Amino acid sequence: MASNTFHRRSLMAGVALAAPALIGREAAAQTPSFFRIGTGSAGGTYYPIGGIVANAISCPPGSACNVAGATDGVPGMVAVAQATQGSVQNVNLIQSGNAESGFVQSDVLHWSYTGTGLFEGRPQLQRLRFLAHLFPEHIHAVVRADSDIRAFSDLRGRRIAIGLQASGARVGSEMILEANGLRAGREFTAEFLNQAQGTERMQDRGLDATFTVVGYPAAAFTEFCSRTGCRILPIAGQEAARVIERAPFYSTGVIPAGAYQGVTQDVPTLTVGACWIVRDSVPDNVVYEITRALWSETTRGLLDRGHAKGREIIRQRALEGRGVVPFHPGAERFYREAGML
């Protein structure tokens, strides 16, 4: 039943183009309040995780809330996971009020809030507030199993998908390639495609590689690796060090053997945190209840059963990746009461 509910809400995400303003909790008991979560493309990890989280925090009018065997969601709330281009679009949607919340890479979050890095010279997006760190995302540099590309030096002159224009994946992909002497339009041809589009083009040999930042296992790569065969290029040693020097939000990590069919050994790579951000205008009591619902035992079960990456969303790491971005007061209240601050 929970699975069917998730799929229905996932379908809602693509058509949820508008939502009423959040309302007080008392009125919510009679009238639903809609809460939008900007995620990513359907072939990545943000979108399915967003669907699980939306299911977990929702408790529409007339539903049983906070009782045994029922949702632990916010009374009166209907949360929807919206498919987007990813982190960069999400911070802009939240800042402009076109989404109440969204999933964002910790580096994009810092740069957008402070007007630095990728956002140098742009207005600071200071309506962003921190709700929680969710999980580490891994750099995937994927090629066909029969490709002659074995290292970054082999990517010169190739055609590479680096993520959608307004995605954190593009930011990470370009940074890693540039740190290794490869610039779009000069040393390689960039295609602004998501994971699903990139793997389709690789299958047809219209691309040589697909780079992205995503939590494993990502659906698009799972399908591609099982259908066509794949390899993941390692990012280690000086290749990794050059990126970390430029962006200390990145750290070393591993895509483990067995994460995808044909990946028989651990692959060293880089990781960056995925955070859940909310707009400062969302009422404190609403964010408090959302934070409570996120870290409830009921949600724990939904995350564990719903997606492999869901098992990595743990309360012990909830405060990572925030940097200088303020807590939303509602989330801060929850963490203080839980003894975490």
Side-chain angles (χ1 to χ4, degrees):
M1 184 70 176
S3 175
N4 291 335
T5 302
F6 162 64
H7 287 300
R8 287 198 297 273
R9 289 206 173 104
S10 294
L11 290 172
M12 290 172 64
V15 298
L17 301 179
L22 287 167
I23 56 180
R25 188 170 179 182
E26 295 78 5
Q30 293 81 36
T31 306
S33 59
F34 290 86
F35 185 86
R36 296 164 291 188
I37 306 171
T39 61
S41 62
T45 302
Y46 278 10
Y47 186 74
I49 291 293
I52 297 168
V53 170
N55 185 29
I57 68 173
S58 293
C59 187
S63 300
C65 304
N66 306 311
V67 296
T71 178
D72 244 352
V74 181
M77 174 176 285
V78 176
V80 291
Q82 291 188 197
T84 70
Q85 291 192 24
S87 293
V88 176
Q89 184 178 19
N90 290 344
V91 294
N92 287 311
L93 287 171
I94 298 165
Q95 175 73 18
S96 64
N98 289 309
E100 285 72 47
S101 74
F103 298 163
V104 181
Q105 289 174 204
S106 59
D107 54 350
V108 174
L109 173 60
H110 176 84
W111 290 329
S112 62
Y113 185 79
T114 59
T116 58
L118 175 70
F119 289 77
E120 187 75 47
R122 304 184 193 179
Q124 298 176 6
L125 306 187
Q126 295 215 324
R127 304 208 67 168
L128 310 181
R129 296 293 182 267
F130 186 84
L131 194 152
H133 171 275
L134 297 177
F135 55 84
E137 299 188 77
H138 292 68
I139 299 293
H140 287 58
V142 180
V143 299
R144 291 176 61 103
D146 58 5
S147 170
D148 61 351
I149 299 172
R150 298 284 173 176
F152 277 84
S153 57
D154 298 328
L155 292 168
R156 195 172 299 272
R158 305 298 183 122
R159 297 157 297 176
I160 307 172
I162 62 171
L164 296 171
Q165 290 273 11
S167 67
R170 176 193 172 188
V171 178
S173 299
E174 287 187 324
M175 185 181 306
I176 290 163
L177 289 161
E178 287 178 8
N180 288 280
L182 299 166
R183 289 159 295 181
R186 297 185 64 174
E187 285 78 25
F188 71 95
T189 300
E191 299 285 351
F192 301 108
L193 305 172
N194 64 29
Q195 297 100 295
Q197 295 165 334
T199 53
E200 286 176 9
R201 290 278 298 278
M202 280 203 298
Q203 183 179 354
D204 297 336
R205 299 187 186 276
L207 279 179
D208 298 298
T210 294
F211 272 60
T212 195
V213 185
V214 67
Y216 68 82
F221 292 126
T222 297
E223 182 179 354
F224 175 74
C225 294
S226 62
R227 183 179 57 200
T228 305
C230 70
R231 281 186 291 105
I232 303 176
L233 301 181
I235 306 174
Q238 288 302 308
E239 291 175 343
R242 283 192 289 268
V243 177
I244 294 171
E245 182 179 0
R246 296 180 62 180
F249 298 96
Y250 283 86
S251 59
T252 56
V254 169
I255 298 174
Y260 300 101
Q261 186 172 322
V263 177
T264 58
Q265 296 181 329
D266 290 351
V267 181
T269 188
L270 294 168
T271 68
V272 65
C275 300
W276 190 5
I277 306 305
V278 66
R279 199 169 193 266
D280 62 353
S281 60
V282 181
D284 294 359
N285 69 302
V286 173
V287 177
Y288 175 86
E289 292 294 337
I290 289 171
T291 312
R292 175 198 57 76
L294 173 64
W295 300 121
S296 72
E297 286 302 313
T298 302
T299 301
R300 175 78 273 144
L302 292 174
L303 291 169
D304 289 346
R305 296 190 300 272
H307 193 279
K309 210 64 180 175
R311 291 189 286 273
E312 297 186 45
I313 301 176
I314 56 175
R315 197 163 89 165
Q316 292 89 330
R317 302 187 67 179
L319 309 185
E320 295 180 8
R322 181 175 68 88
V324 300
V325 179
F327 284 104
H328 189 287
E332 183 175 16
R333 176 188 159 203
F334 174 85
Y335 293 126
R336 287 198 182 281
E337 290 180 0
M340 298 172 65
L341 290 175

